[in-house]
Amino acid sequence: MKNKKLFKGVLIICAILIGLTGCSKEKESAAQKDGPKILKVRINADIKNLDPARRYSRWDDVISATIFDGLVSYKANSYDIENVLAEKFEISEDGHEIYFKLREGVQFQKGAGEVTAEDVKFSYERFRDEKTASAYSDDWANLDHVEVISKYEGKIILTEPFAPLMRTTLPLNSGVIVPKNYIEKVGLDGFTTDVIGCGPYYIDEWQPDQKVVVKKNPDYYGKAPYWDEIQFIVISDNQSAEIALQAGEVDFAEISTNTVDTFKDNPDFGITSNSDLDYRWIGLNVENPKLQDVNVRKAIRAAANVPDMITAAYNGMVEQETAIVAPGLLGYWADAPKYTQDLDKAKEYMAAAGIDSLDLEIAVADTSEYRVWAEVLQQNLKEIGINLEINSMESGTFWEIGDGDKGKDVELFAMAFQMQPDPSWATMWFTSDQVGIWNWMRWANPEFDELHKQGLSETDDQKRQVIYEKMQKLMDDDAVAIWVTNGKTYFAYNAKKCSPAMTPNNSLQFRFFSAAK
Amino acid sequence: MRKKKNSEIGVLSQLVKTPSGLIGTIIIALLLITAIFAPILSPYDFSTQNISERLSGPTSEHHLGTDHLGRDLLSRIIYGTRIALKVAIPAVIISLFIGVLLGLIAGYFGGIIDYIIIIILDTIQSLPSIVLALVMLTLLGPSLTNLIVVMGLTLFPGYSRVVRAQVMSARQELYVDAEKALGAKPLRIIAGHILPNVVPAVIILSTMDLPAVITIEAGLSFLGMGVRPPSPSWGVILNDGFSHFRQSPWPIITAGAALAITTFGFTLFGESLRDILDPKMSGMDS
């Protein structure tokens, strides 16, 4: 009798336990379904500064674009412009004034107050303020001031019409609105990685060299983005990123041209690519005593075998670049010389320089792409008596070698710059103001500077075309760079989970990323 | 008890009698020959590129295939042997020198000197050697010389500990006391009586350290912190191969095999040597 009771008791307990575990399992799967939708993205370098005026790298750009909103912006997957913070947006006929009226009641994140015309004034004028030391001040080259009409209305007043304004300034990061009061309170140093905007995501967490997490802004005034949380995970090496993608540790990653076929053949993954507008090159520092003579630079350019670099580094899957502005853009120089290896000419230049041997060093960020360029160049230069040492360094170290006077010691370097669809975006980095900032060639040419200014205020496309061709010719004459390729970026993504969005030149628009289609 | 023959020829003949000793000796001999005669043995220059023939498998022209720049892999592996030994041997000699010196000082003098040296050794040993080497190379910049120095500096505590222990026990011996009573200076006692006693242990340890150093060198070069391109360190070949392994596995296979065989050879050699020179140490890991 006792035993029977005990047996019953055990049975009941068992039944309850089974019921409980069953329930909890159901709950778990329900939680997974309803839990936050998290997108994991590979970034190949850590962020440095998310302040729109002082942003640094491509990932600073891409991540801050999820946090900030501007008056206008590009629509998803296109270069068409739509109003975002602006309710009304009108450009005067002479192109000198832009009137805007803000949406009312839009709040900055983390309780930093309402977005007003004062914030607009502050956001744009700080680009021209020396205290901000913005590398992007030329995005607002012709800004005179912003006039505040009322709490929500204002006028952007230009000294002269400004051609890139609607192409690259306003729709991109130089056109976004930052909180005036907050920045005045915390100072510039308090507004680097812990930034506040009024966009669809706010920054939640930054673990240096690990990841950056942005979460959906619950008070966002516009259409809510699909993903609740985006984790940007730092994986500098392409191979590791590809493995992480295959293992499901990331959902979206840039991949190397060598592995495109592997992902293409796998139905679980989607591939997206576009010819880049970016430009990649080997720069020669003209201030360095060894490279001061233009003949030496021309010798190096004539000896370099760029087609070999393309075959070896990109499996031949990209085109050789001939000048700084990419094909298809206003300012593309169609008749630019396409350099192939000519050792006889290279030797003639060496003779003209009166040099028969030289020791040089090329600085590269440690990726297989740049190492391959450098190794090909090393072999090429050996044939004209130049011994090239390859100094490959961790990318963080690399990006600082050109800063200030330190940059005088740089000899050759391998580099890639991002480009936006206006030619001024290519030329602005090589003016004399940029020496010691981004002009690592330290090439200063007054005529180039002057043309750059003209190009900014000229609104006639044909005239601009002439200006930019001329500028590229100046660069070519002085042999300051060996152009390699505009490149082609390939991204692979988990096709069962997400669907990407980007402008036609591969600028990622994470706010428009959606579920798998 | 059988008297041990400690002359070099005696050791060698004993070594080749065991299968593992024989294999180890042969591998090391081959490695040395490869390294010394690299220019004669390699069919091509290790840095000559031939982009049109990149990433080919083994052919009659390139017996092990080519890498991503069309360079002959066989020649690169052969020259890689040179780099492996060029780094490993001096690095071990440096750590041997520093290690023995500090070990002797610590063991002989004891007291506060011993205490300070032990703290230094503990500090270095508490850090993983590859991480320590990475930090130092980041500060100094990657180059062959820096690599050698850094490896030497990260590995010496092992020697110091062994030597220190041996010295401490030797110091207790009666003949050392006798020598002291006769008025001998420390230097004479150390050089004449103590040092000869620690030599076998140190030789064994350094043979065991060589493959470790070779592996760490390859690891650092793999991470881009070792020798500069186009030097064909096995680590560099592995890294280049890693970027293209979906197109051709040969760079990884060949460099990996070279590394494995070398490590294997030195380990067999070191263990056999240990069994002969110092049976007490059997079963002790380096």
Side-chain angles (χ1 to χ4, degrees):
Chain A
M1 189 68 182
K2 236 185 184 179
N3 272 352
K4 239 187 186 175
K5 257 189 187 166
L6 191 70
F7 181 66
K8 247 187 190 169
V10 170
L11 265 187
I12 291 167
I13 290 169
C14 281
I16 292 172
L17 279 178
I18 289 168
L20 276 178
T21 42
C23 280
S24 71
K25 257 186 195 161
E26 247 167 50
K27 259 184 200 161
E28 241 172 56
S29 64
Q32 266 168 10
K33 250 185 203 165
D34 300 337
K37 294 190 283 279
I38 299 173
L39 181 71
K40 290 178 184 170
V41 174
R42 174 244 176 154
I43 57 178
N44 45 17
D46 199 8
I47 54 166
K48 282 194 172 246
N49 196 329
L50 296 177
D51 177 354
R54 294 176 299 146
R55 62 197 197 269
Y56 218 78
S57 69
R58 166 170 155 214
W59 297 109
D60 289 349
D61 264 356
V62 165
I63 296 173
S64 67
T66 65
I67 300 167
F68 296 96
D69 266 357
L71 297 178
V72 294
S73 179
Y74 288 130
K75 288 181 185 168
N77 299 308
S78 93
Y79 281 144
D80 294 339
I81 285 172
E82 63 183 349
N83 286 356
V84 183
L85 273 174
E87 203 174 74
K88 261 192 201 159
F89 187 86
E90 284 157 7
I91 304 177
S92 69
E93 260 177 35
D94 61 1
H96 276 78
E97 288 183 10
I98 297 112
Y99 165 84
F100 63 86
K101 182 171 187 299
L102 293 170
R103 282 170 186 247
E104 293 181 20
V106 176
Q107 295 293 328
F108 281 113
Q109 298 150 3
K110 303 178 183 174
E114 194 183 352
V115 182
T116 65
E118 282 293 341
D119 294 309
V120 178
K121 180 180 168 68
F122 175 78
S123 300
Y124 296 163
E125 287 180 357
R126 68 196 286 262
F127 277 81
R128 304 298 300 168
D129 187 346
E130 276 171 19
K131 268 182 258 158
T132 318
S134 173
Y136 297 85
S137 62
D138 273 0
D139 275 355
W140 283 106
N142 293 358
L143 177 70
D144 191 72
H145 68 282
V146 178
E147 186 186 319
V148 176
I149 300 171
S150 70
K151 192 176 177 191
Y152 302 110
E153 280 173 299
K155 263 185 196 167
I156 302 167
I157 313 284
L158 302 177
T159 51
E160 274 170 85
F162 188 56
L165 190 75
M166 293 311 292
R167 276 209 184 88
T168 51
T169 299
L170 280 172
L172 294 167
N173 291 33
S174 295
V176 299
I177 308 304
V178 295
K180 179 185 179 205
N181 292 336
Y182 181 77
I183 294 180
E184 282 176 349
K185 198 174 80 193
V186 298
L188 280 179
D189 291 340
F191 200 74
T192 54
T193 51
D194 202 7
V195 293
I196 288 179
C198 60
Y201 290 96
Y202 67 91
I203 186 145
D204 181 58
E205 193 190 359
W206 175 49
Q207 293 173 16
D209 284 326
Q210 302 282 323
K211 64 177 174 181
V212 184
V213 179
V214 296
K215 284 191 176 158
K216 199 184 228 168
N217 174 7
D219 308 320
Y220 190 53
Y221 62 94
K223 186 173 177 270
Y226 176 79
W227 295 99
D228 295 322
E229 178 178 329
I230 305 178
Q231 298 182 357
F232 297 94
I233 299 163
V234 182
I235 307 176
S236 59
D237 176 62
N238 269 342
Q239 305 295 318
S240 316
E242 285 152 12
I243 293 165
L245 186 64
Q246 280 169 329
E249 283 164 28
V250 294
D251 306 312
F252 184 90
E254 182 183 335
I255 56 168
S256 69
T257 44
N258 296 324
T259 38
V260 172
D261 290 338
T262 321
F263 284 99
K264 239 180 206 162
D265 296 341
N266 189 335
D268 290 345
F269 294 100
I271 294 252
T272 168
S273 80
N274 269 318
S275 286
D276 290 351
L277 303 180
D278 299 6
Y279 41 98
R280 297 155 205 241
W281 78 102
I282 293 168
L284 300 100
N285 177 4
V286 300
E287 262 185 39
N288 191 293
K290 294 180 192 170
L291 295 166
Q292 258 166 2
D293 187 340
V294 69
N295 283 311
V296 176
R297 303 199 296 269
K298 283 185 174 165
I300 293 172
R301 182 168 68 184
N305 192 334
V306 178
D308 269 2
M309 290 178 199
I310 288 175
T311 311
Y314 309 96
N315 234 358
M317 290 179 80
V318 299
E319 297 294 319
Q320 181 176 346
E321 177 190 345
T322 51
I324 201 161
V325 179
L329 287 188
L330 175 73
Y332 170 60
W333 181 21
D335 301 326
K338 188 172 184 175
Y339 293 100
T340 46
Q341 193 181 36
D342 187 341
L343 289 175
D344 292 334
K345 220 177 196 171
K347 282 175 191 156
E348 276 171 32
Y349 285 128
M350 286 293 274
I355 293 175
D356 49 10
S357 75
L358 189 62
D359 286 321
L360 287 173
E361 186 183 88
I362 182 165
V364 296
D366 189 32
T367 68
S368 61
E369 175 185 358
Y370 298 132
R371 235 184 10 247
V372 168
W373 293 10
E375 283 187 75
V376 172
L377 188 67
Q378 186 176 47
Q379 163 101 354
N380 298 154
L381 294 187
K382 207 161 84 182
E383 306 197 40
I384 58 165
I386 295 177
N387 172 36
L388 183 71
E389 279 274 314
I390 299 173
N391 186 6
S392 84
M393 48 189 94
E394 184 265 323
S395 72
T397 319
F398 174 79
W399 285 106
E400 281 163 11
I401 60 167
D403 285 353
D405 281 349
K406 212 166 51 176
K408 285 182 184 167
D409 300 330
V410 173
E411 295 175 5
L412 280 77
F413 56 90
M415 186 68 122
F417 273 4
Q418 218 189 328
M419 173 72 178
Q420 299 296 350
D422 188 89
S424 63
W425 247 80
T427 53
M428 67 189 279
W429 315 111
F430 306 104
T431 58
S432 35
D433 307 343
Q434 286 283 334
V435 170
I437 307 174
W438 287 123
N439 184 352
W440 289 12
M441 281 99 89
R442 302 183 82 85
W443 177 66
N445 182 319
E447 194 184 346
F448 186 90
D449 293 355
E450 185 50 42
L451 285 167
H452 178 65
K453 267 190 210 143
Q454 281 179 26
L456 288 177
S457 38
E458 181 58 65
T459 46
D460 183 290
D461 280 357
Q462 270 177 347
K463 285 184 188 157
R464 288 191 89 203
Q465 175 72 29
V466 175
I467 290 171
Y468 287 106
E469 275 190 24
K470 213 166 167 189
M471 292 172 85
Q472 292 173 84
K473 193 161 180 313
L474 286 175
M475 281 185 113
D476 182 69
D477 290 344
D478 280 351
V480 294
I482 299 162
W483 306 113
V484 180
T485 180
N486 294 113
K488 204 169 185 180
T489 312
Y490 289 88
F491 297 97
Y493 56 93
N494 182 341
K496 291 185 174 157
K497 188 169 169 186
C498 65
S499 172
M502 58 184 83
T503 60
N505 71 317
N506 278 341
S507 270
L508 297 162
Q509 297 170 304
F510 281 106
R511 58 170 67 196
F512 298 126
F513 270 50
S514 59
K517 275 174 188 159
Chain B
M1 199 196 237
R2 191 161 58 94
K3 205 184 167 195
K4 227 190 291 167
K5 272 193 267 174
N6 260 356
S7 71
E8 276 172 40
I9 297 172
V11 171
L12 203 64
S13 69
Q14 263 184 293
L15 200 60
V16 295
K17 273 182 198 150
T18 58
S20 58
L22 181 64
I23 297 171
T25 314
I26 291 175
I27 293 177
I28 290 176
L30 284 177
L31 277 174
L32 287 173
I33 292 171
T34 314
I36 294 166
F37 298 106
I40 301 169
L41 291 172
S42 57
Y44 297 89
D45 179 76
F46 68 84
S47 66
T48 304
Q49 301 168 3
N50 188 347
I51 305 284
S52 59
E53 283 179 37
R54 63 195 289 264
L55 296 170
S56 84
T59 59
S60 56
E61 278 170 23
H62 301 283
H63 298 305
L64 293 178
T66 56
D67 72 357
H68 65 298
L69 292 171
R71 296 176 293 200
D72 183 53
L73 269 177
L74 180 60
S75 309
R76 288 180 72 73
I77 297 285
I78 289 173
Y79 272 94
T81 320
R82 249 190 186 187
I83 290 177
L85 296 181
K86 224 158 118 184
V87 173
I89 293 172
V92 168
I93 290 174
I94 289 176
S95 58
L96 195 75
F97 182 76
I98 303 174
V100 170
L101 192 70
L102 285 183
L104 284 175
I105 294 172
Y108 189 84
F109 294 104
I112 181 87
I113 297 176
D114 182 36
Y115 189 67
I116 293 170
I117 292 176
I118 283 292
I119 288 180
I120 297 173
L121 301 183
D122 278 347
T123 313
I124 295 177
Q125 278 195 316
S126 64
L127 300 163
S129 50
I130 197 148
V131 175
L132 185 63
L134 265 178
V135 171
M136 287 163 89
L137 280 172
T138 311
L139 294 175
L140 296 171
S143 80
L144 193 70
T145 327
N146 289 346
L147 192 61
I148 293 169
V149 173
V150 165
M151 304 282 283
L153 289 180
T154 46
L155 287 168
F156 77 84
Y159 298 90
S160 295
R161 286 189 175 282
V162 170
V163 171
R164 176 176 166 272
Q166 298 260 355
V167 174
M168 281 183 144
S169 69
R171 217 174 44 161
Q172 313 294 325
E173 300 281 349
L174 269 179
Y175 64 84
V176 175
D177 281 344
E179 189 90 350
K180 263 192 201 160
L182 287 171
K185 296 254 158 53
L187 192 66
R188 186 189 146 81
I189 297 173
I190 292 177
H193 298 287
I194 293 177
L195 202 54
N197 275 311
V198 302
V199 166
V202 164
I203 289 179
I204 294 162
L205 203 58
S206 52
T207 336
M208 306 281 239
D209 259 355
L210 278 169
V213 175
I214 291 174
T215 327
I216 297 177
E217 181 273 315
L220 291 170
S221 297
F222 183 88
L223 296 172
M225 296 305 293
V227 297
R228 286 186 172 190
S231 294
S233 157
W234 292 335
V236 172
I237 301 177
L238 276 174
N239 187 359
D240 290 338
F242 180 57
S243 312
H244 299 89
F245 77 100
R246 286 186 171 95
Q247 290 158 291
S248 167
W250 289 97
I252 287 194
I253 294 173
T254 50
L259 209 56
I261 292 170
T262 308
T263 317
F264 182 61
F266 272 108
T267 311
L268 285 184
F269 184 82
E271 283 184 355
S272 310
L273 199 65
R274 180 188 62 197
D275 294 344
I276 293 162
L277 286 180
D278 195 350
K280 275 184 295 181
M281 282 172 75
S282 289
M284 191 191 98
D285 283 319
S286 62

